[in-house]
């Protein structure tokens, strides 16, 4: 920017600095508020039960690893199940949903709107309302308490979201790009792999993150469709609560172990995600 | 797959047949999704609609018995109406759910928008915020509900201790146990948990707005506020609408968080908790299915209102 006189520019810059500091301060404040409950829980995981229930709350104490020792045995199988179910279902939801969203966005027929609404309608019924027919269906297909069963369930749960989100991203790609490709004689497959896929990468990474976390956190279907062999982490936590009574410190340790992979993944993903978001700008 | 002859675009006759091939391809791309959804989501849904017209106690009845619309409404011997549609407990649950949904979705959208705008601007510590805001949403609901439950606990819960020292609570009371503040306490948990979800979706939308548009607006001398309302908000609408629809659908069906914290307590009984109570606790499968069907219809009405009044465009 070229300025004729210096004083307004300096004043503007000073104002900008103050705003930036306020913003930074506000950020720390919001972050603290949002992270407090979690920090409080992780702290409790290292306390004894008596310390966890103390009034006023104990902040300084000698940390113990007993709670983690007790939770560890059941943790690893549940962690494996959660990882397989979340990653497998997200992958499958994209393998199925991305071509579907592409078809609806790039070749819209009169039925496209109906198909999208119909997909959404599978999310109108509460989970408890469909659980018994679903249980019987899974029993007949021998999918109860199996990982393929859980993957199928979570894929179904996330498919409408994947199709809707990807549809909204894919429609943002200017039609002229497809027209140009068509004139050059591109096939549908080429349009999909050469245009739609690379240009919707930011949308894919954001949507995949949503689908992963939805699958990771799901508890109702997991509780009803698995018992032991395929039980994911959400069931592992639940078992802790019912079999042990309300042992808060121990529950906190189990919960901390459940949250840990998400924290690690989230820390890696947010960098990738934002990079993907900013690189993939469509226009 | 469509052929890749380079000259098709110039010949209208060939062009039409290529278009037809493309449409057929599009259907094949769509079919796997439709089959999976029809099997795993569609079939149980139809089955539940069928069961809602039957009387079926899973503990005593060997099979469902067709009774028409009696689960919804039927006339007693003295001529008064009875059934689900006249059950005050059900309408109470509907009202509670609507209050919960409206307040949490409005707060989450505003907070999420604010967070997304802050993360999207350049300033110190944005990396920290980016990671931090994702955390509450990534914590499984079973964990976060227990965590908040513990913080709300009347004696040693830290929120109750703060409430007492601020003079908002009397000894032995808590925000979540008091029927007047319980729903608000649950909305707070839901906002804490789900505002990051909205922030993430809105952020993805913000990132796809080309920066040269802002440069052009700067050159034209448009103020930041004006830029937000004239440029950011309209361009953000598609992403915002999808986020709003999915969020509203989930809020209307909310079950696990309020159930873990409050169980079957009437002041926080949502539609889904009522359905579970009828189906599982009371073993009334037909009646519970009728509840589920009504929830389905209510959510459908909400969606139609959204899609028409906010004019979601599909192409």
């Amino acid at each position: 920017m070229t300025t004729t006189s210096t004083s307004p520019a300096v004043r503007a810059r000073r104002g900008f600095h103050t705003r930036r500091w306020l913003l930074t301060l506000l950020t720390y404040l919001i972050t603290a508020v949002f992270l407090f409950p979690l920090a409080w829980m992780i702290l409790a995981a290292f306390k004894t039960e008596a310390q966890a229930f103390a009034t006023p709350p104990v902040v300084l104490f000698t940390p113990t690893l007993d709670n983690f020792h007790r939770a560890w045995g059941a943790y690893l199988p549940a962690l494996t199940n959660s990882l397989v179910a979340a990653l497998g279902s997200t992958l499958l939801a994209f393998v199925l949903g991305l071509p579907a969203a592409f078809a609806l966005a790039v070749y819209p027929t009169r039925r496209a709107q109906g198909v999208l609404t119909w997909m959404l309608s599978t999310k109108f019924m509460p989970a408890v309302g469909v659980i018994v027919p679903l249980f019987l269906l899974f029993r007949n297909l021998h999918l109860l308490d199996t990982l393929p069963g859980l993957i199928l369930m979570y894929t179904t749960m996330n498919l409408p979201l994947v199709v809707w989100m990807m549809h909204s991203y894919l429609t943002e790609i200017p039609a002229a790009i497809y027209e140009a490709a068509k004139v050059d004689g591109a096939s549908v497959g080429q349009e999909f792999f050469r245009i739609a896929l690379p240009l919707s990468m930011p949308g894919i990474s954001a949507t995949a993150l949503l689908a992963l976390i939805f699958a990771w956190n799901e508890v109702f279907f997991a509780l009803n469709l698995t018992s032991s062999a395929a039980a994911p982490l959400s069931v592992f936590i639940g078992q802790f609560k019912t079999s042990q009574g309300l042992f808060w410190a121990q529950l906190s340790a189990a919960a901390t172990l459940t949250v840990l992979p998400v924290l690690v993944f989230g820390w890696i993903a947010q960098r990738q995600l934002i990079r993907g978001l900013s690189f993939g700008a469509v226009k | 797959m469509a052929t890749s002859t380079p000259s098709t675009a110039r010949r209208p006759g060939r062009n039409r047949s290529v278009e037809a091939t493309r449409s057929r391809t599009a259907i094949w791309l769509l079919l796997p999704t439709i089959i999976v959804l029809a099997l795993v989501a569609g079939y149980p849904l139809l089955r539940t609609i069928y069961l809602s017209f039957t009387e079926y106690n899973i503990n005593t009845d060997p099979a469902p018995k067709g009774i028409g619309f009696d689960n919804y409404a039927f006339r007693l011997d003295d001529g008064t109406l009875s059934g689900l549609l006249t059950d005050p407990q059900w309408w109470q649950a509907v009202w509670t759910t609507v209050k919960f949904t409206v307040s949490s979705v409005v707060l989450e959208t505003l907070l999420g928008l604010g967070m997304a705008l802050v993360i999207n601007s350049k300033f110190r510590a944005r990396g920290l915020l980016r990671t931090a805001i994702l955390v509450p949403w990534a914590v499984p609901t079973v964990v976060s509900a227990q965590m908040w439950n513990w913080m709300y606990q009347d004696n040693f819960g830290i929120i109750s201790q703060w409430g007492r020292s601020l003079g908002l609570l009397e000894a032995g009371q808590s925000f979540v146990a008091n029927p007047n503040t319980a729903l608000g306490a649950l909305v707070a948990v839901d906002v804490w948990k789900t505002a990051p979800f909205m922030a993430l979706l809105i952020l993805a939308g913000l990132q796809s707005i080309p920066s040269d548009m802002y440069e052009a607006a700067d050159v034209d001398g448009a103020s930041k506020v004006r830029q937000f309302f004239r440029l950011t908000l309209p361009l953000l609408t598609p992403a915002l609408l999808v986020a709003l629809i999915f969020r509203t659908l989930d809020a209307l069906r909310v079950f696990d968080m309020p159930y873990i914290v409050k169980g079957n307590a009437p002041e926080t009984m949502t539609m889904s908790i009522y359905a579970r109570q009828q189906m599982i606790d009371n073993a009334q499968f037909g009646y519970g299915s009728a509840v589920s069907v009504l929830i389905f219809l209510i959510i459908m009405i909400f969606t139609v209102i959204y899609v028409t009044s906010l004019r979601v465009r599909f192409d």
Side-chain angles (χ1 to χ4, degrees):
Chain A
M1 285 285 270
T2 50
T3 43
T4 43
S5 65
T6 44
S7 61
V10 168
R11 213 180 304 144
R13 201 178 307 147
R14 198 170 298 147
F16 180 69
H17 267 286
T18 327
R19 261 219 311 276
R20 225 162 86 142
W21 268 108
L22 275 174
L23 214 55
T24 310
L25 199 70
L26 191 73
T27 308
Y28 278 115
L29 209 70
I30 295 174
T31 312
V33 169
F34 268 80
L35 288 190
F36 174 78
L38 199 72
W40 192 237
M41 181 192 82
I42 294 174
L43 208 62
F46 292 96
K47 293 177 179 176
T48 64
E49 294 296 343
Q51 285 165 340
F53 285 90
T55 325
V58 184
V59 181
L60 292 171
F61 57 93
T62 326
T64 167
L65 288 176
D66 283 0
N67 302 313
F68 289 98
H69 276 301
R70 249 168 273 154
W72 189 254
Y75 172 66
L76 285 180
L79 174 71
T80 316
N81 288 340
S82 269
L83 282 173
V84 173
L87 292 171
S89 66
T90 304
L91 191 69
L92 189 58
F94 270 90
V95 168
L96 293 171
L98 199 55
F102 173 76
L104 289 169
V106 183
Y107 303 101
T109 59
R110 263 166 286 120
R111 271 159 295 174
Q113 178 158 350
V115 172
L116 279 169
T117 315
W118 174 77
M119 284 182 190
L120 202 61
S121 77
T122 61
K123 291 183 95 68
F124 289 177
M125 183 82 78
V128 67
V130 288
I131 195 62
V132 169
L134 209 53
F135 182 88
L136 298 175
L137 179 74
F138 268 54
R139 198 182 61 187
N140 294 340
L141 295 173
H142 301 286
L143 287 172
L144 281 180
D145 204 16
T146 64
L147 280 174
L150 206 56
I151 290 175
L152 182 66
M153 191 61 241
Y154 291 166
T155 302
T156 314
M157 183 179 82
N158 278 330
L159 254 179
L161 181 78
V162 169
V163 174
W164 268 67
M165 293 275 298
M166 289 323 298
H167 178 261
S168 89
Y169 283 109
L170 287 169
T171 43
E172 304 262 304
I173 298 175
I177 297 184
Y178 291 113
E179 291 300 325
K182 231 176 270 178
V183 170
D184 289 347
S187 68
V188 175
Q190 283 170 326
E191 281 178 21
F192 179 75
F193 285 108
R194 299 278 177 80
I195 302 172
L197 209 55
L199 284 182
S200 58
M201 240 19 222
I204 291 176
S205 52
T207 311
L209 186 69
L210 298 184
L212 271 175
I213 294 189
F214 273 125
W216 188 269
N217 288 358
E218 204 286 325
V219 63
F220 189 79
F221 291 126
L223 271 177
N224 288 291
L225 300 177
T226 68
S227 52
S228 55
L233 282 171
S234 48
V235 174
F236 157 80
I237 294 279
Q239 281 166 347
F240 247 88
K241 195 194 145 208
T242 47
S243 63
Q244 313 280 325
L246 237 179
F247 285 102
W248 179 254
Q250 206 167 315
L251 185 66
S252 293
T256 304
L257 286 174
T258 306
V259 174
L260 204 65
V262 182
L263 292 184
V264 174
F265 174 78
W267 190 70
I268 301 165
Q270 64 94 5
R271 285 158 189 274
Q272 292 303 115
L273 184 72
I274 303 298
R275 198 181 300 158
L277 289 173
S278 39
F279 269 143
V282 168
K283 286 154 215 163
Chain B
M1 281 288 152
T3 53
S4 52
T5 40
S7 58
T8 45
R10 281 184 219 120
R11 276 183 263 166
R14 284 286 297 281
N15 199 15
R16 199 176 302 135
S17 79
V18 169
E19 281 306 308
T21 318
R22 283 172 182 276
S23 300
R24 271 201 300 279
T25 314
I27 288 170
W28 283 108
L29 293 176
L30 208 51
L31 213 55
T33 297
I34 291 181
I35 291 171
V36 169
L37 282 178
L39 176 74
V40 188
Y43 162 76
L45 201 136
L46 291 178
R47 178 87 190 147
T48 301
I49 294 175
Y50 159 74
L51 282 174
S52 78
F53 298 111
T54 65
E55 185 174 4
Y56 188 22
N57 182 321
I58 28 175
N59 296 333
T60 54
D61 298 339
K65 192 175 80 201
I67 53 164
F69 282 91
D70 282 9
N71 282 324
Y72 297 95
F74 64 96
R75 212 165 275 285
L76 291 169
D77 289 342
D78 61 1
T80 53
L81 277 175
S82 186
L84 175 58
L85 287 169
T86 60
D87 182 355
Q89 210 195 343
W90 155 249
W91 291 111
Q92 167 81 41
V94 174
W95 179 230
T96 305
T97 312
V98 170
K99 278 196 289 190
F100 176 87
T101 302
V102 171
S103 44
S104 62
V105 171
V106 166
L107 287 173
E108 283 155 19
T109 308
L110 293 178
L111 205 60
L113 186 62
M115 286 166 140
L117 287 171
V118 169
I119 299 175
N120 202 35
S121 64
K122 288 185 182 63
F123 71 104
R124 237 166 286 225
R126 61 193 279 218
L128 177 74
L129 185 71
R130 240 157 33 187
T131 318
I133 63 150
L134 273 179
V135 169
W137 182 60
V139 175
T141 310
V142 220
V143 176
S144 50
Q146 283 297 341
M147 199 169 77
W148 279 87
N149 207 2
W150 190 59
M151 294 200 303
Y152 275 134
Q153 208 276 349
D154 46 13
N155 281 318
F156 54 78
I158 189 144
I159 293 178
S160 302
Q161 296 186 14
W162 288 341
R164 279 200 295 275
S165 48
L166 288 173
L168 294 170
L169 280 180
E170 285 169 32
Q173 283 197 331
S174 82
F175 292 113
V176 83
N178 183 340
N180 295 321
T181 53
L183 194 64
L186 294 188
V187 168
V189 180
D190 199 66
V191 169
W192 173 82
K193 184 172 172 52
T194 320
F197 166 82
M198 296 300 268
L200 185 69
L201 288 187
I202 295 168
L203 183 64
L206 280 177
Q207 301 269 357
S208 64
I209 299 176
S211 58
D212 51 2
M213 285 197 154
Y214 289 104
E215 282 154 25
D218 275 335
V219 170
D220 290 348
S223 71
K224 291 286 176 205
V225 177
R226 205 178 149 81
Q227 284 183 23
F228 174 76
F229 282 105
R230 288 292 169 84
L231 191 60
T232 311
L233 215 51
L235 287 172
L236 208 54
T237 313
L240 203 58
L241 281 180
V242 176
L244 264 179
I245 287 181
F246 276 87
R247 194 49 224 133
T248 308
L249 255 53
D250 278 350
L252 285 169
R253 295 183 306 162
V254 68
F255 173 78
D256 36 13
M257 189 272 288
Y259 187 73
I260 292 170
V261 178
K262 292 284 287 178
N264 282 335
E267 67 268 21
T268 53
M269 181 175 278
T270 64
M271 299 192 293
S272 287
I273 296 177
Y274 180 77
R276 199 211 75 94
Q277 189 190 33
Q278 298 305 325
M279 270 194 185
I280 317 277
D281 295 347
N282 300 351
Q284 293 297 339
F285 227 82
Y287 191 79
S289 295
V291 174
S292 301
V293 171
L294 279 195
I295 298 175
F296 181 92
L297 291 176
I298 288 173
I299 294 180
M300 192 162 82
I301 292 167
F302 256 84
T303 311
V304 169
I305 292 172
Y306 255 129
V307 173
T308 53
S309 72
L310 298 171
R311 266 172 283 143
V312 179
R313 274 190 224 102
F314 290 90
D315 44 23

